[in-house]
Amino acid sequence: MSNSIDPQAEPLPSLSARHIDPHSYPDGVAFLDGQYLPMSQAKISVLDWGFLHSDATYDTVHVWNGRFFRLDLHLDRFFGGLEKLRMTIPFGRDGVAEILENCVALSGHRAAYVEMLCTRGASPTFSRDPRDAVNRFMAFAVPFGSVANAEQLQRGLHVAISDKVRIPPASIDPAIKNYHWLDLVRGLYDAYDRGAETALLLDFNGNVAEGPGFNVFCVDDGKLSTPAAGVLPGITRRTVFDLCAEAGLAVAAADVSVAALRRSDEVFITSTAGGIMPVTMIDGIPVADGKVGAITKRLMAIYWQKHEDPVWSSPVRYP
Ligand code: PLP
């Protein structure tokens, strides 16, 4: 069935200014054009290349129990992306960190999803030359959100392997965190059509890559592996490597075939939006005995404990 025309669609609104309902936005605070604003007022031009061409980079860090988790690593990745895309912003790392903290503090959220982003911007003449655009930095803090809901965290996610291929690294360097999500969103619809809750996409060689907003790990005989190439080097993925080093678990970045994923003892996904999240069903078939595995549970527990540790986290100064 086509989703493009909805026969029940409302008539087009009249040519008067439409009322914006502030409640139709998540409760949060944004920083835009030098001002702190409620989310409902944080707007950009439709001529911004970030919107017209997906010409943007961003990073997302979370705040848990009033503390940023590994903010330095997120700032490193964001500034790395800016440099590769030849974008400049009028703030250094400390300035961005201060803006993010202010967004969180003004929002009052103690569990927050905090995003910093930079678009190519718009050019005053609508020039087609990206060098004419004025880069635009923005940030916002909204309530924490997770890829997996509470029930899915308990029993494990049900995923489907999509036949959509993740955009290859030769086209877009995945280390530049980006909004090129059409493959991921199409993968999600494939998954929903097949009764699954989220999707895993393959890379150009048919190996497992990543999913909409997350990396993936499998555990085989006590050893962990995660796709090495063609994926965003996630900070949560990196955190799993760090936790494994502390816990004495073997972990490697390597090709992960679909067959290897299917016969794994445990599978989990990782994202700033939710942390370490178990997967217990792939294409309708249980992973091992279909229960959340022991190593996954152990890593989930240490991951959240580290959020209180000053080596891994830093407090937000609320007013
Ligand atoms: N892969 C993609 C495509 C993502 O968008 C994300 C996060 O948004 C991740 C992986 C996970 O990265 P991180 O752990 O840094 O949140």
Side-chain angles (χ1 to χ4, degrees):
M1 191 181 83
S2 162
N3 287 329
S4 52
I5 298 172
D6 177 0
Q8 311 286 317
E10 307 239 322
L12 287 172
S14 61
L15 277 178
S16 59
R18 286 180 77 192
H19 172 67
I20 306 287
D21 176 5
H23 302 296
S24 63
Y25 288 81
D27 174 25
V29 169
F31 174 85
L32 177 69
D33 294 338
Q35 293 181 70
Y36 293 94
L37 301 162
M39 283 311 295
S40 58
Q41 288 172 30
K43 305 282 167 57
I44 62 160
S45 165
V46 289
L47 296 180
D48 192 304
W49 282 48
F51 174 64
L52 292 180
H53 303 301
S54 213
D55 187 350
T57 188
Y58 75 109
D59 216 290
T60 304
V61 54
H62 68 221
V63 166
W64 192 251
N65 281 342
R67 304 176 72 86
F68 278 109
F69 189 61
R70 313 204 88 179
L71 177 57
D72 277 348
L73 297 180
H74 290 277
L75 290 170
D76 288 347
R77 190 169 63 182
F78 179 59
F79 277 90
L82 290 177
E83 197 178 331
K84 288 182 185 168
L85 292 177
R86 304 202 201 185
M87 290 177 179
T88 48
I89 59 171
F91 310 102
R93 285 174 67 96
D94 290 351
V96 170
E98 190 180 321
I99 290 166
L100 298 178
E101 183 175 24
N102 288 341
C103 287
V104 179
L106 289 168
S107 77
H109 296 317
R110 298 195 59 84
Y113 178 99
V114 188
E115 189 157 324
M116 60 203 97
L117 62 128
C118 183
T119 63
R120 184 72 56 196
S123 115
T125 60
F126 199 45
S127 144
R128 304 192 70 81
D129 184 337
R131 292 169 300 183
D132 294 337
V134 182
N135 302 164
R136 177 178 258 135
F137 171 80
M138 295 163 247
F140 61 83
V142 291
F144 180 80
S146 172
V147 174
N149 63 29
E151 184 201 329
Q152 293 162 341
L153 286 172
Q154 275 291 320
R155 55 120 162 110
L157 280 154
H158 298 171
V159 309
I161 297 180
S162 168
D163 60 2
K164 305 293 176 296
V165 172
R166 184 67 177 123
I167 196 165
S171 301
I172 304 287
D173 175 355
I176 306 171
K177 194 166 154 67
N178 63 70
Y179 296 124
H180 292 274
W181 268 52
L182 294 189
D183 48 0
L184 296 170
V185 172
R186 292 180 72 207
L188 265 180
Y189 277 99
D190 287 348
Y192 300 150
D193 288 347
R194 288 154 57 188
E197 294 158 340
T198 190
L200 275 172
L201 272 69
L202 304 182
D203 68 16
F204 217 65
N205 300 314
N207 291 314
V208 178
E210 60 186 345
F214 53 82
N215 295 113
V216 60
F217 283 78
C218 55
V219 184
D220 201 11
D221 242 352
K223 296 195 192 76
L224 289 86
S225 43
T226 188
V231 298
L232 175 78
I235 307 295
T236 323
R237 174 180 181 270
R238 150 90 189 262
T239 298
V240 168
F241 277 77
D242 295 340
L243 295 177
C244 284
E246 276 195 21
L249 291 165
V251 58
D255 284 348
V256 175
S257 69
V258 173
L261 187 82
R262 290 191 197 283
R263 61 168 185 263
S264 298
D265 300 328
E266 302 181 28
V267 175
F268 61 83
I269 60 167
T270 60
S271 174
T272 298
I276 297 171
M277 297 164 276
V279 170
T280 48
M281 185 94 83
I282 299 174
D283 290 334
I285 299 167
V287 175
D289 64 358
K291 303 219 169 69
V292 178
I295 291 181
T296 307
K297 278 191 189 158
R298 185 173 160 205
L299 288 171
M300 285 169 78
I302 336 176
Y303 173 80
W304 290 106
Q305 280 159 20
K306 290 289 185 193
H307 285 64
E308 306 299 323
D309 182 337
V311 176
W312 297 61
S313 66
S314 48
V316 174
R317 286 159 298 179
Y318 292 89

